[in-house]
Amino acid sequence: MREAGAAVRFPSGPPPPSSYDSIFAMDTYEDPATWGPEPVRPRWSLALKFVATLLFFPLLCAFWLAVAAVLFVVGLFADGIAAVSEGFGRGYMRFVDDVLGGTARLGSWCVTWPELRHEGDTAHYRARVDKVVGNWTERASAPREPKKARPPVECEIPRRVYRGVGGRYVAEVALAQGWELRPTDVRKEVRLWWSAASHPQDASVADTAREA
């Protein structure tokens, strides 16, 4: 039996045919407790971490910018190789994403002022999830404009957004708005896929209705 804190892993392949079925898949593939709210942290612990964040976060930002600058310079030389080998270019971009993402995760323990102020406030976290998911839905459902990038079809909701209500609430809100769950490590984030992207004919019907 897996531990309660283990990551949620869904079977590989295309999103499930029914969005609402996928929320019950959480119970099938993992302990549902991992998708619930996290325990309320002691106020004194949060206060100490908040003070440490004020001292550490500027240094982290400077370090991230320095790493980004080095990768940019290296990338200028790598362009010559990428012009010959497309695989190298893709690999280097993945490397850049991993390095910058790993550097940013060094601050995952940091505590912001809203977190310090609203720890244990379920209503605050519900409103926060509603706003973040709603913003992604607005972007994903926007009609595509000529000569512009396609609307996003995938997103990640970080744990910092939903820790007070749990990943299950994110899933409930997202599924109701037309998203599907993707393979997810709920200890870090909840990954979502815009279901209309899997069914272009549904998207066309939605666009026609919107124009009418």
PDB file of all heavy atoms in Angstrom, residues 63-80 92-93 95-97 99-100:
ATOM      1  N   PHE A  63      20.065  35.177  -7.854  1.00  0.00           N
ATOM      2  CA  PHE A  63      20.684  33.931  -8.325  1.00  0.00           C
ATOM      3  C   PHE A  63      19.978  33.413  -9.570  1.00  0.00           C
ATOM      4  O   PHE A  63      20.626  32.971 -10.527  1.00  0.00           O
ATOM      5  CB  PHE A  63      20.629  32.891  -7.204  1.00  0.00           C
ATOM      6  CG  PHE A  63      21.236  31.560  -7.565  1.00  0.00           C
ATOM      7  CD1 PHE A  63      22.587  31.464  -7.856  1.00  0.00           C
ATOM      8  CD2 PHE A  63      20.452  30.422  -7.624  1.00  0.00           C
ATOM      9  CE1 PHE A  63      23.151  30.237  -8.202  1.00  0.00           C
ATOM     10  CE2 PHE A  63      20.999  29.198  -7.968  1.00  0.00           C
ATOM     11  CZ  PHE A  63      22.357  29.101  -8.251  1.00  0.00           C
ATOM     12  N   TRP A  64      18.644  33.475  -9.579  1.00  0.00           N
ATOM     13  CA  TRP A  64      17.879  33.020 -10.745  1.00  0.00           C
ATOM     14  C   TRP A  64      18.236  33.840 -11.970  1.00  0.00           C
ATOM     15  O   TRP A  64      18.419  33.285 -13.065  1.00  0.00           O
ATOM     16  CB  TRP A  64      16.386  33.124 -10.455  1.00  0.00           C
ATOM     17  CG  TRP A  64      15.502  32.497 -11.495  1.00  0.00           C
ATOM     18  CD1 TRP A  64      15.014  31.225 -11.516  1.00  0.00           C
ATOM     19  CD2 TRP A  64      15.007  33.132 -12.689  1.00  0.00           C
ATOM     20  NE1 TRP A  64      14.255  31.021 -12.637  1.00  0.00           N
ATOM     21  CE2 TRP A  64      14.229  32.157 -13.379  1.00  0.00           C
ATOM     22  CE3 TRP A  64      15.146  34.407 -13.239  1.00  0.00           C
ATOM     23  CZ2 TRP A  64      13.595  32.447 -14.579  1.00  0.00           C
ATOM     24  CZ3 TRP A  64      14.512  34.691 -14.457  1.00  0.00           C
ATOM     25  CH2 TRP A  64      13.749  33.723 -15.096  1.00  0.00           C
ATOM     26  N   LEU A  65      18.343  35.158 -11.801  1.00  0.00           N
ATOM     27  CA  LEU A  65      18.692  36.016 -12.929  1.00  0.00           C
ATOM     28  C   LEU A  65      20.096  35.715 -13.434  1.00  0.00           C
ATOM     29  O   LEU A  65      20.353  35.732 -14.652  1.00  0.00           O
ATOM     30  CB  LEU A  65      18.580  37.486 -12.519  1.00  0.00           C
ATOM     31  CG  LEU A  65      17.156  38.011 -12.280  1.00  0.00           C
ATOM     32  CD1 LEU A  65      17.197  39.433 -11.742  1.00  0.00           C
ATOM     33  CD2 LEU A  65      16.337  37.960 -13.568  1.00  0.00           C
ATOM     34  N   ALA A  66      21.026  35.432 -12.505  1.00  0.00           N
ATOM     35  CA  ALA A  66      22.392  35.107 -12.908  1.00  0.00           C
ATOM     36  C   ALA A  66      22.424  33.806 -13.703  1.00  0.00           C
ATOM     37  O   ALA A  66      23.096  33.704 -14.735  1.00  0.00           O
ATOM     38  CB  ALA A  66      23.289  35.005 -11.673  1.00  0.00           C
ATOM     39  N   VAL A  67      21.682  32.799 -13.225  1.00  0.00           N
ATOM     40  CA  VAL A  67      21.618  31.524 -13.947  1.00  0.00           C
ATOM     41  C   VAL A  67      20.983  31.717 -15.321  1.00  0.00           C
ATOM     42  O   VAL A  67      21.463  31.171 -16.325  1.00  0.00           O
ATOM     43  CB  VAL A  67      20.815  30.485 -13.129  1.00  0.00           C
ATOM     44  CG1 VAL A  67      20.557  29.226 -13.951  1.00  0.00           C
ATOM     45  CG2 VAL A  67      21.560  30.126 -11.848  1.00  0.00           C
ATOM     46  N   ALA A  68      19.924  32.513 -15.375  1.00  0.00           N
ATOM     47  CA  ALA A  68      19.260  32.765 -16.655  1.00  0.00           C
ATOM     48  C   ALA A  68      20.210  33.461 -17.629  1.00  0.00           C
ATOM     49  O   ALA A  68      20.222  33.154 -18.833  1.00  0.00           O
ATOM     50  CB  ALA A  68      18.003  33.607 -16.433  1.00  0.00           C
ATOM     51  N   ALA A  69      21.024  34.393 -17.131  1.00  0.00           N
ATOM     52  CA  ALA A  69      21.967  35.104 -17.985  1.00  0.00           C
ATOM     53  C   ALA A  69      23.026  34.150 -18.544  1.00  0.00           C
ATOM     54  O   ALA A  69      23.387  34.217 -19.729  1.00  0.00           O
ATOM     55  CB  ALA A  69      22.631  36.237 -17.213  1.00  0.00           C
ATOM     56  N   VAL A  70      23.530  33.258 -17.700  1.00  0.00           N
ATOM     57  CA  VAL A  70      24.537  32.285 -18.149  1.00  0.00           C
ATOM     58  C   VAL A  70      23.946  31.372 -19.213  1.00  0.00           C
ATOM     59  O   VAL A  70      24.566  31.103 -20.250  1.00  0.00           O
ATOM     60  CB  VAL A  70      25.062  31.464 -16.958  1.00  0.00           C
ATOM     61  CG1 VAL A  70      25.935  30.310 -17.441  1.00  0.00           C
ATOM     62  CG2 VAL A  70      25.864  32.356 -16.011  1.00  0.00           C
ATOM     63  N   LEU A  71      22.733  30.890 -18.973  1.00  0.00           N
ATOM     64  CA  LEU A  71      22.086  30.005 -19.945  1.00  0.00           C
ATOM     65  C   LEU A  71      21.820  30.727 -21.262  1.00  0.00           C
ATOM     66  O   LEU A  71      21.900  30.126 -22.336  1.00  0.00           O
ATOM     67  CB  LEU A  71      20.777  29.462 -19.367  1.00  0.00           C
ATOM     68  CG  LEU A  71      20.920  28.499 -18.182  1.00  0.00           C
ATOM     69  CD1 LEU A  71      19.546  28.161 -17.610  1.00  0.00           C
ATOM     70  CD2 LEU A  71      21.640  27.225 -18.605  1.00  0.00           C
ATOM     71  N   PHE A  72      21.511  32.007 -21.171  1.00  0.00           N
ATOM     72  CA  PHE A  72      21.268  32.786 -22.390  1.00  0.00           C
ATOM     73  C   PHE A  72      22.550  32.904 -23.217  1.00  0.00           C
ATOM     74  O   PHE A  72      22.526  32.736 -24.437  1.00  0.00           O
ATOM     75  CB  PHE A  72      20.747  34.176 -22.024  1.00  0.00           C
ATOM     76  CG  PHE A  72      20.579  35.091 -23.207  1.00  0.00           C
ATOM     77  CD1 PHE A  72      19.510  34.937 -24.085  1.00  0.00           C
ATOM     78  CD2 PHE A  72      21.495  36.104 -23.456  1.00  0.00           C
ATOM     79  CE1 PHE A  72      19.359  35.770 -25.182  1.00  0.00           C
ATOM     80  CE2 PHE A  72      21.350  36.941 -24.550  1.00  0.00           C
ATOM     81  CZ  PHE A  72      20.282  36.775 -25.407  1.00  0.00           C
ATOM     82  N   VAL A  73      23.654  33.187 -22.548  1.00  0.00           N
ATOM     83  CA  VAL A  73      24.938  33.314 -23.255  1.00  0.00           C
ATOM     84  C   VAL A  73      25.327  31.982 -23.889  1.00  0.00           C
ATOM     85  O   VAL A  73      25.744  31.921 -25.049  1.00  0.00           O
ATOM     86  CB  VAL A  73      26.036  33.804 -22.294  1.00  0.00           C
ATOM     87  CG1 VAL A  73      27.402  33.760 -22.968  1.00  0.00           C
ATOM     88  CG2 VAL A  73      25.732  35.217 -21.817  1.00  0.00           C
ATOM     89  N   VAL A  74      25.179  30.904 -23.101  1.00  0.00           N
ATOM     90  CA  VAL A  74      25.487  29.579 -23.647  1.00  0.00           C
ATOM     91  C   VAL A  74      24.570  29.265 -24.821  1.00  0.00           C
ATOM     92  O   VAL A  74      24.987  28.668 -25.818  1.00  0.00           O
ATOM     93  CB  VAL A  74      25.348  28.503 -22.545  1.00  0.00           C
ATOM     94  CG1 VAL A  74      25.507  27.104 -23.146  1.00  0.00           C
ATOM     95  CG2 VAL A  74      26.377  28.728 -21.450  1.00  0.00           C
ATOM     96  N   GLY A  75      23.314  29.700 -24.717  1.00  0.00           N
ATOM     97  CA  GLY A  75      22.360  29.451 -25.781  1.00  0.00           C
ATOM     98  C   GLY A  75      22.741  30.112 -27.093  1.00  0.00           C
ATOM     99  O   GLY A  75      22.423  29.603 -28.171  1.00  0.00           O
ATOM    100  N   LEU A  76      23.423  31.272 -27.007  1.00  0.00           N
ATOM    101  CA  LEU A  76      23.862  31.946 -28.233  1.00  0.00           C
ATOM    102  C   LEU A  76      24.836  31.076 -29.012  1.00  0.00           C
ATOM    103  O   LEU A  76      24.791  31.017 -30.251  1.00  0.00           O
ATOM    104  CB  LEU A  76      24.517  33.289 -27.872  1.00  0.00           C
ATOM    105  CG  LEU A  76      23.592  34.348 -27.266  1.00  0.00           C
ATOM    106  CD1 LEU A  76      24.380  35.601 -26.933  1.00  0.00           C
ATOM    107  CD2 LEU A  76      22.442  34.684 -28.211  1.00  0.00           C
ATOM    108  N   PHE A  77      25.721  30.396 -28.275  1.00  0.00           N
ATOM    109  CA  PHE A  77      26.660  29.496 -28.939  1.00  0.00           C
ATOM    110  C   PHE A  77      25.969  28.199 -29.371  1.00  0.00           C
ATOM    111  O   PHE A  77      26.351  27.584 -30.366  1.00  0.00           O
ATOM    112  CB  PHE A  77      27.827  29.170 -28.000  1.00  0.00           C
ATOM    113  CG  PHE A  77      28.702  30.355 -27.690  1.00  0.00           C
ATOM    114  CD1 PHE A  77      28.529  31.085 -26.528  1.00  0.00           C
ATOM    115  CD2 PHE A  77      29.690  30.758 -28.586  1.00  0.00           C
ATOM    116  CE1 PHE A  77      29.325  32.178 -26.241  1.00  0.00           C
ATOM    117  CE2 PHE A  77      30.496  31.864 -28.308  1.00  0.00           C
ATOM    118  CZ  PHE A  77      30.324  32.575 -27.139  1.00  0.00           C
ATOM    119  N   ALA A  78      24.957  27.813 -28.604  1.00  0.00           N
ATOM    120  CA  ALA A  78      24.258  26.567 -28.929  1.00  0.00           C
ATOM    121  C   ALA A  78      23.381  26.714 -30.164  1.00  0.00           C
ATOM    122  O   ALA A  78      23.007  25.706 -30.777  1.00  0.00           O
ATOM    123  CB  ALA A  78      23.406  26.130 -27.736  1.00  0.00           C
ATOM    124  N   ASP A  79      23.054  27.953 -30.537  1.00  0.00           N
ATOM    125  CA  ASP A  79      22.205  28.150 -31.720  1.00  0.00           C
ATOM    126  C   ASP A  79      22.846  27.552 -32.966  1.00  0.00           C
ATOM    127  O   ASP A  79      22.155  27.051 -33.859  1.00  0.00           O
ATOM    128  CB  ASP A  79      21.947  29.644 -31.938  1.00  0.00           C
ATOM    129  CG  ASP A  79      20.863  30.183 -31.019  1.00  0.00           C
ATOM    130  OD1 ASP A  79      20.134  29.342 -30.450  1.00  0.00           O
ATOM    131  OD2 ASP A  79      20.747  31.406 -30.871  1.00  0.00           O
ATOM    132  N   GLY A  80      24.186  27.644 -33.045  1.00  0.00           N
ATOM    133  CA  GLY A  80      24.873  27.107 -34.208  1.00  0.00           C
ATOM    134  C   GLY A  80      24.684  25.604 -34.327  1.00  0.00           C
ATOM    135  O   GLY A  80      24.466  25.074 -35.423  1.00  0.00           O
ATOM    136  N   TYR A  92      18.162  21.220 -25.393  1.00  0.00           N
ATOM    137  CA  TYR A  92      18.701  22.351 -24.645  1.00  0.00           C
ATOM    138  C   TYR A  92      17.586  23.169 -24.012  1.00  0.00           C
ATOM    139  O   TYR A  92      17.707  23.635 -22.877  1.00  0.00           O
ATOM    140  CB  TYR A  92      19.548  23.250 -25.554  1.00  0.00           C
ATOM    141  CG  TYR A  92      20.191  24.393 -24.808  1.00  0.00           C
ATOM    142  CD1 TYR A  92      21.293  24.168 -23.988  1.00  0.00           C
ATOM    143  CD2 TYR A  92      19.684  25.683 -24.894  1.00  0.00           C
ATOM    144  CE1 TYR A  92      21.881  25.210 -23.285  1.00  0.00           C
ATOM    145  CE2 TYR A  92      20.268  26.728 -24.199  1.00  0.00           C
ATOM    146  CZ  TYR A  92      21.365  26.487 -23.395  1.00  0.00           C
ATOM    147  OH  TYR A  92      21.941  27.511 -22.676  1.00  0.00           O
ATOM    148  N   MET A  93      16.473  23.325 -24.721  1.00  0.00           N
ATOM    149  CA  MET A  93      15.352  24.064 -24.154  1.00  0.00           C
ATOM    150  C   MET A  93      14.775  23.342 -22.946  1.00  0.00           C
ATOM    151  O   MET A  93      14.410  23.975 -21.944  1.00  0.00           O
ATOM    152  CB  MET A  93      14.264  24.279 -25.209  1.00  0.00           C
ATOM    153  CG  MET A  93      14.664  25.218 -26.330  1.00  0.00           C
ATOM    154  SD  MET A  93      15.231  26.836 -25.724  1.00  0.00           S
ATOM    155  CE  MET A  93      13.757  27.408 -24.871  1.00  0.00           C
ATOM    156  N   PHE A  95      16.516  21.423 -21.012  1.00  0.00           N
ATOM    157  CA  PHE A  95      17.538  21.621 -19.976  1.00  0.00           C
ATOM    158  C   PHE A  95      17.377  22.986 -19.313  1.00  0.00           C
ATOM    159  O   PHE A  95      17.442  23.105 -18.080  1.00  0.00           O
ATOM    160  CB  PHE A  95      18.927  21.490 -20.599  1.00  0.00           C
ATOM    161  CG  PHE A  95      20.056  21.854 -19.667  1.00  0.00           C
ATOM    162  CD1 PHE A  95      20.436  20.986 -18.647  1.00  0.00           C
ATOM    163  CD2 PHE A  95      20.716  23.067 -19.796  1.00  0.00           C
ATOM    164  CE1 PHE A  95      21.470  21.321 -17.771  1.00  0.00           C
ATOM    165  CE2 PHE A  95      21.751  23.417 -18.937  1.00  0.00           C
ATOM    166  CZ  PHE A  95      22.126  22.539 -17.921  1.00  0.00           C
ATOM    167  N   VAL A  96      17.148  24.014 -20.123  1.00  0.00           N
ATOM    168  CA  VAL A  96      16.955  25.366 -19.581  1.00  0.00           C
ATOM    169  C   VAL A  96      15.739  25.409 -18.665  1.00  0.00           C
ATOM    170  O   VAL A  96      15.782  25.976 -17.563  1.00  0.00           O
ATOM    171  CB  VAL A  96      16.810  26.393 -20.719  1.00  0.00           C
ATOM    172  CG1 VAL A  96      16.372  27.757 -20.170  1.00  0.00           C
ATOM    173  CG2 VAL A  96      18.124  26.534 -21.473  1.00  0.00           C
ATOM    174  N   ASP A  97      14.633  24.799 -19.110  1.00  0.00           N
ATOM    175  CA  ASP A  97      13.419  24.779 -18.296  1.00  0.00           C
ATOM    176  C   ASP A  97      13.656  24.055 -16.972  1.00  0.00           C
ATOM    177  O   ASP A  97      13.194  24.505 -15.918  1.00  0.00           O
ATOM    178  CB  ASP A  97      12.283  24.094 -19.054  1.00  0.00           C
ATOM    179  CG  ASP A  97      11.765  24.938 -20.202  1.00  0.00           C
ATOM    180  OD1 ASP A  97      12.004  26.161 -20.189  1.00  0.00           O
ATOM    181  OD2 ASP A  97      11.123  24.377 -21.112  1.00  0.00           O
ATOM    182  N   VAL A  99      16.539  23.615 -15.368  1.00  0.00           N
ATOM    183  CA  VAL A  99      17.455  24.366 -14.504  1.00  0.00           C
ATOM    184  C   VAL A  99      16.755  25.560 -13.869  1.00  0.00           C
ATOM    185  O   VAL A  99      16.841  25.784 -12.650  1.00  0.00           O
ATOM    186  CB  VAL A  99      18.695  24.824 -15.296  1.00  0.00           C
ATOM    187  CG1 VAL A  99      19.543  25.781 -14.451  1.00  0.00           C
ATOM    188  CG2 VAL A  99      19.532  23.617 -15.711  1.00  0.00           C
ATOM    189  N   LEU A 100      16.051  26.331 -14.673  1.00  0.00           N
ATOM    190  CA  LEU A 100      15.368  27.508 -14.135  1.00  0.00           C
ATOM    191  C   LEU A 100      14.241  27.102 -13.189  1.00  0.00           C
ATOM    192  O   LEU A 100      14.018  27.737 -12.156  1.00  0.00           O
ATOM    193  CB  LEU A 100      14.819  28.364 -15.276  1.00  0.00           C
ATOM    194  CG  LEU A 100      15.863  29.029 -16.174  1.00  0.00           C
ATOM    195  CD1 LEU A 100      15.185  29.858 -17.260  1.00  0.00           C
ATOM    196  CD2 LEU A 100      16.811  29.902 -15.357  1.00  0.00           C
TER     197      LEU A 100
END
